Amino acid sequence: MSHTTALHGSAKEDILESLYNQFTIDDQCLFKITQTFLSEISDGLSSYGRPMAMMHVSPLYVFPTFVKGVPDGSETGTFLALDLGGTNLRVCEVTLLGDKTFSLRQQKYKVSDALKTGEVTTLFDYLADSVDAFLTDTPSQGHDSHVSHADEDSPYVPLALTFSFPVEQSALDSGVLLTWTKGFSAKNAIGKDVVKLLQDAFDRKHIHVKCVALVNDTVGALLSRAYTSGGCILGAIFGTGTNGAYVEEVSKITKLSQNPTVAAGGEMIVNTEWGGFNNSRSALPTTPYDNKLDRESINPRFQAFEKFISGMYLGEITRNVILSLIDAAPKPLLFGGRSSALLNKQWGLDSAVLSEIEEAWEGLGRFSPPAHGSPEAQTEEKLRRIQGVLAHRLELSPPDISLTDADIVRQVCNLIASRAARMSGTAVAAILVHTERARLWDHGEQSSVGLKDEGKRIGVGVDGSLVEFYPNFQTKLRASLRALVGPEVESRVDIGMAKDGSGVGAALCALVAQRQSQANHTNGAYGYDHEDIKVTPPTEVAYISSLSR
């Protein structure tokens, strides 16, 4: 491991070498993780009751063109979407323009810890109130400012719910919550239909809105990327949490052998809920810091993969490492043995701080590259920037932060984030191999003969703060992917941001729901021309939950 000139002394180098060995995963480990991923996907498609094996099917009509079962960008319509999946909830109005573009109006609302952990009816009442506030405060041509409390004879406002938690979906507008993730633990929610919870809240408050579709944010990312780019086979979230959804052949989902869907053939969108991959941790490179985080989390021994790679947990892993260096005996290795109230608090270190530290080192974001000078002078300037970040964001006294301290923290952040990015690559690689678009590469001569999409672009839509904003995250993910599937396949993988997947993907689902609703002679809606809607025979969405029963 290379160290900068700011570091001196064998004790510090020894501890950094130990951390390097614990958090660095080589190609052999990547292959093991990917092979285990493939095994769990196979289990999930063939049987129930295993990790990643509880698949549930719900009818979903999408708009297949370039890649069967996904949109082509010609769809039109105006719809509301409610997005719940992390620190904020978001209400937005999405207008699909039919030329691979869309317009968006939105408003974010804070979800407090009290709402996340209180009674579920209180949480969903807050969701309903937020939609009401959006309709009242930001009216558009799609509806007037009074529609949220219109009389019963007026058309309802259709809304799609993007709900980024594991659900057992039984219909386009019905899904039972299997478990909370991402720090949510609202009471009396597990086993309840989340669409009904939301609709009951609207009805209690006499808000004239109907939840017509339920969509996972990962499925939304896939649909959104397909809409804006013309084709996509995988949608993936690398942010507060992580998940993936991909297009699968129905014939491969052998556990559905008695389902009439199999006879119809075609494809399904499969939501893997891969945040819960390898909950046994048989293949994951666990450290004592990971074990401590898991033990103290609200869901010990669940969502294992997510706890290694997602933004919600990277800061806490880093905090655990920093505290171990502060508390080192007989002599502390950081900050002269001094901590802060923020560092002493569980979840006190946000992953955004790691990103800011790396930006300070790389000269990105608000930090310009160092001025001209010797390499030593440039290194010192970068470390002084990191000193400033640590003092401000960790609430430490500046005199307690040496340049050596800044360098140690910088290297710790880099190790933990690099591990997350490389492990993220295994999930993408596993889907490519499973869908026969790649083979695990043995570093020999590579050929794409016999693979799907031979020589063609492979569309992957991604969303989330890590993949979008964390310095070099996608570059390291790609390096991992290249090591696993080889440079020829990796070069054809088009990883693009799914532009507002949770909003646009939900809008696409709401459009389908409204078409079904019109066909059934139910209440009408607003904002789109039925002649513009193109729908071919349905595919379906299959959900694989990561949780064992």
Side-chain angles (χ1 to χ4, degrees):
M1 180 181 184
S2 61
H3 305 299
T4 72
T5 54
L7 289 177
H8 300 283
S10 60
K12 290 183 177 63
E13 297 215 354
D14 286 346
I15 193 66
L16 282 174
E17 198 68 36
S18 173
L19 291 171
Y20 177 85
N21 292 333
Q22 291 183 72
F23 283 99
T24 299
I25 50 178
D26 58 20
D27 290 352
Q28 183 177 359
C29 182
L30 292 177
F31 271 84
K32 180 181 178 182
I33 295 171
T34 306
Q35 288 166 337
T36 306
F37 230 118
L38 289 166
S39 176
E40 290 203 13
I41 291 173
S42 178
D43 288 345
L45 295 172
S46 63
S47 59
Y48 291 89
R50 300 182 186 181
M52 289 183 70
M54 298 191 300
M55 180 177 294
H56 312 286
V57 178
S58 59
L60 174 65
Y61 297 79
V62 294
F63 306 94
T65 54
F66 179 71
V67 177
K68 185 181 178 184
V70 297
D72 70 347
S74 66
E75 298 76 19
T76 61
T78 300
F79 299 91
L80 284 179
L82 172 61
D83 176 16
L84 177 67
T87 305
N88 297 312
L89 71 88
R90 185 171 58 113
V91 183
C92 53
E93 181 185 74
V94 181
T95 300
L96 307 171
L97 301 176
D99 58 357
K100 298 184 180 180
T101 66
F102 60 89
S103 64
L104 175 72
R105 296 188 314 108
Q106 65 176 339
Q107 182 65 48
K108 291 183 178 180
Y109 302 88
K110 181 77 172 178
V111 182
S112 68
D113 289 340
L115 287 169
K116 292 179 181 179
T117 59
E119 279 294 327
V120 69
T121 52
T122 304
L123 172 62
F124 277 81
D125 279 347
Y126 180 70
L127 302 188
D129 286 338
S130 299
V131 173
D132 187 27
F134 180 84
L135 292 172
T136 302
D137 298 339
T138 58
S140 75
Q141 294 180 353
H143 51 265
D144 63 47
S145 60
H146 304 291
V147 74
S148 63
H149 292 274
D151 61 56
E152 293 185 1
D153 294 329
S154 63
Y156 60 79
V157 177
L159 175 143
L161 170 64
T162 299
F163 192 74
S164 306
F165 304 92
V167 296
E168 177 182 339
Q169 194 159 355
S170 56
L172 185 58
D173 60 353
S174 179
V176 171
L177 178 65
L178 297 175
T179 184
W180 286 116
T181 58
K182 306 176 188 176
F184 279 72
S185 59
K187 302 175 183 64
N188 300 311
I190 306 302
K192 300 287 182 65
D193 186 333
V194 296
V195 174
K196 186 175 187 304
L197 287 171
L198 180 59
Q199 192 60 53
D200 286 349
F202 286 141
D203 294 345
R204 277 194 301 274
K205 296 175 175 292
H206 305 288
I207 300 171
H208 212 56
V209 172
K210 182 175 181 180
C211 184
V212 298
L214 173 66
V215 62
N216 180 278
D217 60 346
T218 315
V219 176
L222 191 160
L223 295 174
S224 171
R225 182 61 181 169
Y227 179 81
T228 58
S229 70
C232 184
I233 62 98
L234 169 65
I237 305 296
F238 300 108
T240 303
T242 185
N243 192 15
Y246 72 99
V247 180
E248 177 65 282
E249 296 176 9
V250 172
S251 61
K252 288 187 176 180
I253 310 176
T254 56
K255 69 197 300 177
L256 297 179
S257 58
Q258 304 303 314
N259 191 297
T261 300
V262 176
E267 296 175 324
M268 291 184 181
I269 297 175
V270 176
N271 172 18
T272 67
E273 289 295 343
W274 73 32
F277 160 65
N278 200 220
N279 279 331
S280 68
R281 303 195 178 209
S282 61
L284 300 179
T286 305
T287 71
Y289 310 102
D290 299 300
N291 288 335
K292 181 177 184 295
L293 180 149
D294 181 60
R295 184 175 64 255
E296 296 175 348
S297 70
I298 63 172
N299 55 349
R301 300 192 178 280
F302 287 103
Q303 296 300 107
F305 192 60
E306 185 167 84
K307 289 172 180 173
F308 281 79
I309 73 170
S310 73
M312 178 172 179
Y313 299 103
L314 297 187
E316 182 66 4
I317 298 171
T318 304
R319 189 185 74 90
N320 287 337
V321 174
I322 288 174
L323 287 177
S324 74
L325 299 177
I326 291 173
D327 295 336
K331 185 177 181 180
L333 298 177
L334 268 184
F335 311 138
R338 296 176 179 85
S339 186
S340 67
L342 185 146
L343 270 177
N344 291 336
K345 180 182 178 182
Q346 186 184 22
W347 313 113
L349 178 55
D350 193 286
S351 296
V353 179
L354 280 66
S355 181
E356 190 172 351
I357 288 169
E358 298 231 30
E359 288 175 350
W361 180 257
E362 298 285 345
L364 301 172
R366 66 183 178 89
F367 302 98
S368 58
H372 295 295
S374 67
E376 291 79 9
Q378 291 187 25
T379 295
E380 181 173 338
E381 181 180 347
K382 291 189 288 186
L383 292 176
R384 292 200 182 282
R385 293 174 176 177
I386 294 173
Q387 280 181 313
V389 173
L390 294 175
H392 175 64
R393 299 299 298 271
L394 301 189
E395 300 175 1
L396 293 163
S397 175
D400 292 333
I401 311 168
S402 68
L403 289 181
T404 299
D405 293 336
D407 199 14
I408 291 175
V409 173
R410 191 272 304 178
Q411 293 190 57
V412 167
C413 293
N414 180 264
L415 283 171
I416 292 168
S418 295
R419 184 185 69 164
R422 284 175 63 78
M423 290 178 67
S424 298
T426 67
V428 178
I431 297 302
L432 296 183
V433 173
H434 173 75
T435 58
E436 301 177 11
R437 290 176 171 84
R439 303 183 185 95
L440 286 177
W441 185 42
D442 61 2
H443 293 265
E445 184 176 346
Q446 192 175 20
S447 171
S448 61
V449 175
L451 296 175
K452 286 184 181 178
D453 298 332
E454 178 183 344
K456 297 179 181 178
R457 165 191 173 273
I458 302 172
V460 175
V462 295
D463 198 2
S465 55
L466 285 179
V467 72
E468 184 172 8
F469 298 118
Y470 201 100
N472 302 314
F473 188 92
Q474 188 173 151
T475 299
K476 293 172 181 177
L477 186 157
R478 275 196 169 277
S480 170
L481 183 62
R482 187 162 52 250
L484 290 165
V485 302
E488 193 280 330
V489 172
E490 183 273 332
S491 67
R492 293 190 288 109
V493 176
D494 177 16
I495 299 178
M497 293 303 300
K499 297 179 180 179
D500 199 354
S502 56
V504 177
L508 289 163
C509 286
L511 184 149
V512 172
Q514 279 303 103
R515 184 178 184 276
Q516 292 175 310
S517 180
Q518 290 290 332
N520 292 328
H521 305 290
T522 58
N523 277 338
Y526 68 98
Y528 69 90
D529 182 354
H530 296 281
E531 298 300 317
D532 288 338
I533 300 174
K534 304 174 183 178
V535 181
T536 60
T539 58
E540 302 192 10
V541 173
Y543 286 87
I544 303 178
S545 170
S546 60
L547 301 177
S548 297
R549 283 176 174 168

